Amino acid sequence: MPTILAYQAPNTSTPVRYPPPMASKGTAALEAMIEEATVDTDGHEDERAGLFAMIEEHLAVPFTTTVLGVEVTIGKIELAADSIVAVCARGRHRQRVGLLDLPLLTPMPDGAAWIDAYRHWAGR
């Protein structure tokens, strides 16, 4: 399983790494989900839009996770020009984080398998 660089302190050669968050779905199950989401699509952008529609429909929001050591609430998911993003909120502050980079905590929210399908589709 590939790892994601979480943090590398200055002047050190050993970065802190953690495995990407993944549900327990196997490759065949993820590919079946991708097929379901992209069955009538034409091209990369349409496929991403199909996956976004399934994530938007099935992912239970709001949920909490930790971004850069700070607990945030994910209130909604949006389709951006070239990606799918999560809108992270803490107090009155808002920040969009690419769904591919969003760490998910355990227990994962209902519908998080669709995030895994999106990651699989994107090659992550």
Side-chain angles (χ1 to χ4, degrees):
M1 175 182 290
T3 56
I4 298 171
L5 177 61
Y7 174 77
Q8 184 166 355
N11 302 320
T12 64
S13 61
T14 308
V16 176
R17 296 182 179 268
Y18 61 92
M22 295 293 286
S24 59
K25 293 257 183 209
T27 300
L30 293 175
E31 289 175 1
M33 293 171 74
I34 292 166
E35 177 64 26
E36 179 184 352
T38 61
V39 69
D40 290 326
T41 59
D42 183 31
H44 192 74
E45 298 301 318
D46 281 351
E47 289 177 3
R48 183 178 18 257
L51 285 161
F52 168 74
M54 296 304 269
I55 291 168
E56 187 177 45
E57 180 180 337
H58 295 282
L59 184 64
V61 291
F63 63 91
T64 60
T65 189
T66 302
V67 176
L68 297 175
V70 177
E71 185 175 281
V72 297
T73 300
I74 308 303
K76 68 180 184 173
I77 305 297
E78 295 179 343
L79 183 60
D82 60 351
S83 64
I84 299 173
V85 298
V87 179
C88 303
R90 180 167 172 90
R92 62 179 197 190
H93 301 285
R94 304 286 180 272
Q95 178 70 42
R96 287 172 176 76
V97 174
L99 202 54
L100 296 174
D101 299 320
L102 187 71
L104 295 176
L105 301 177
T106 303
M108 292 181 25
D110 290 340
W114 283 102
I115 295 174
D116 289 339
Y118 174 54
R119 287 181 172 143
H120 184 75
W121 172 85
R124 289 216 180 158

